[in-house]
Amino acid sequence: MTDKNRTEQKIIAGVIGTPIKHSRSPLMHNHWLRAHGLKGTYAAIEVAPDELEPRLAALAAEGLRGVNVTIPHKEAVFALATERDQAAQKIGAVNTVIFRKSGGFLGINTDAPGFAASLQAAAAPWAGGPAMVLGAGGAARGVVYGLIEAGVREIRIVNRTLERAEALARDMGGLGASLIPLPWDKISEQMIDLALLVNATSLGLAGGRPLDLDVTLLAPGALVTDIVYAPLETDLLRAAKRAGHETVDGLGMLIHQARFAFEAWFGILPEANAGLRAALEKDLQK
Ligand code: NAP
């Protein structure tokens, strides 16, 4: 099927947000729709905050299976959802909507299982913990929930604004993990016995402020991961590799959260194959 034929097809799913034109979700989902011979296309749909509710209703009426949700709508869509899964409930944000034929919609969060799935191929025994998560924003909430679900029993949550780390630890309490909020200046002393270090802040993004950490303080064998994927190899990952650590980049989380959303709409868990990853890497270089 040519791309022209595909763009003339009915939209059956999409991603809503603003700005939306740089979203990589259409690349992934259209790849899988093609691979599984499903008719229809996945579109990037610009939606401003003041039109969120009517646009969601209109997309449901047009017959879409559902939509992904990105900046700045994840919390607002959480509030509008008529049903939510436990991940969304705990995280307080929805990244995937499944429209119900009877009206209303289920809001789920696939960032959390997506993050945990991105670590599954790592050889390092990260799930035994302790883990340290840097950040307490929306993405960090998904990361912490994903780690708890994956069985990590001690998670140190470090954030510039300590109150947000405390709130995160409170909100995710009662799930069987010990969650320890810490101020930024405790990173070095709390790093030495980690099995896993995660950057879930926006530090290290291309053109932004760097994340300045001394990774040589980490114990040998600690896994280091960064959910920032532009650049793909962040300064943190480069330094960790140089110090002999196994690393996982942020593209895995992006791909796996999309796989779980696709499964929720179409009942097929698509593959995260090397071809798709290569296409995404090429797209990131644009
Ligand atoms: P967010 O809600 O705005 O949170 C930003 C986080 O970064 C907060 O913890 C913030 O700390 C911290 N931060 C920002 N500037 C800082 C500084 N100068 N020093 C120390 N900490 C600083 O953003 P988000 O939605 O969580 O996203 C975070 C990053 O994750 C983004 O780069 C995003 O691209 C990436 N992400 C990746 C994926 C993926 O699939 N790989 C998915 C989602 C997000 P304060 O609380 O103190 O402000």
Side-chain angles (χ1 to χ4, degrees):
M1 185 184 303
T2 65
D3 282 350
K4 180 163 181 292
N5 285 342
R6 184 155 288 276
T7 54
E8 284 165 1
Q9 283 190 22
K10 186 173 155 54
I11 295 173
I12 54 171
V15 54
I16 60 167
T18 183
I20 202 63
K21 75 172 193 288
H22 296 298
S23 170
R24 268 88 195 187
S25 292
L27 191 160
M28 294 188 282
H29 287 282
N30 284 321
H31 171 90
W32 291 323
L33 286 172
R34 267 196 305 274
H36 292 282
L38 298 175
K39 279 211 177 101
T41 191
Y42 177 106
I45 305 164
E46 184 81 31
V47 173
D50 60 355
E51 55 174 10
L52 180 61
E53 197 168 356
R55 288 297 297 282
L56 274 172
L59 293 167
E62 283 166 32
L64 273 72
R65 297 284 180 96
V67 286
N68 284 131
V69 182
T70 190
I71 288 170
H73 301 313
K74 288 184 178 185
E75 284 85 11
V77 171
F78 171 84
L80 292 171
T82 46
E83 306 156 60
R84 303 175 188 110
D85 74 350
Q86 201 205 18
Q89 197 67 46
K90 281 287 179 187
I91 295 164
V94 160
N95 82 326
T96 303
V97 159
I98 299 122
F99 292 125
R100 297 296 197 201
K101 288 206 170 72
S102 52
F105 67 85
L106 168 66
I108 67 174
N109 193 307
T110 68
D111 283 336
F115 173 71
S118 77
L119 302 186
Q120 292 306 335
W126 57 271
M132 179 184 281
V133 175
L134 306 177
R141 296 178 74 88
V143 163
V144 169
Y145 186 81
L147 291 178
I148 296 171
E149 284 287 286
V152 179
R153 287 293 157 259
E154 182 184 331
I155 306 172
R156 301 170 191 165
I157 304 164
V158 184
N159 199 46
R160 174 180 62 176
T161 311
L162 180 61
E163 293 73 26
R164 288 185 89 191
E166 289 169 342
L168 200 173
R170 223 174 15 249
D171 293 350
M172 305 264 171
L175 295 174
S178 164
L179 305 176
I180 305 159
L182 293 166
W184 199 256
D185 61 9
K186 292 281 184 219
I187 293 178
S188 296
E189 70 176 59
Q190 294 286 330
M191 250 168 88
I192 49 181
D193 61 341
L194 295 179
L196 174 66
L197 173 68
V198 186
N199 176 40
T201 71
S202 46
L203 294 173
L205 265 175
R209 297 177 61 136
L211 171 60
D212 198 11
L213 286 190
D214 183 2
V215 287
T216 63
L217 295 172
L218 286 167
L223 179 66
V224 178
T225 175
D226 200 329
I227 71 163
V228 167
Y229 56 81
L232 200 51
E233 186 176 69
T234 59
D235 289 345
L236 171 67
L237 295 185
R238 194 174 310 113
K241 274 183 198 164
R242 214 180 298 128
H245 293 278
E246 186 178 2
T247 62
V248 172
D249 65 42
L251 212 46
M253 178 177 178
L254 185 75
I255 296 172
H256 288 290
Q257 63 75 26
R259 293 175 64 225
F260 295 131
F262 192 94
E263 184 185 32
W265 298 322
F266 305 114
I268 300 165
L269 184 62
E271 238 189 276
N273 61 31
L276 177 61
R277 199 187 148 91
L280 281 165
E281 284 182 16
K282 195 170 159 202
D283 198 64
L284 281 171
Q285 280 157 13
K286 279 183 191 164

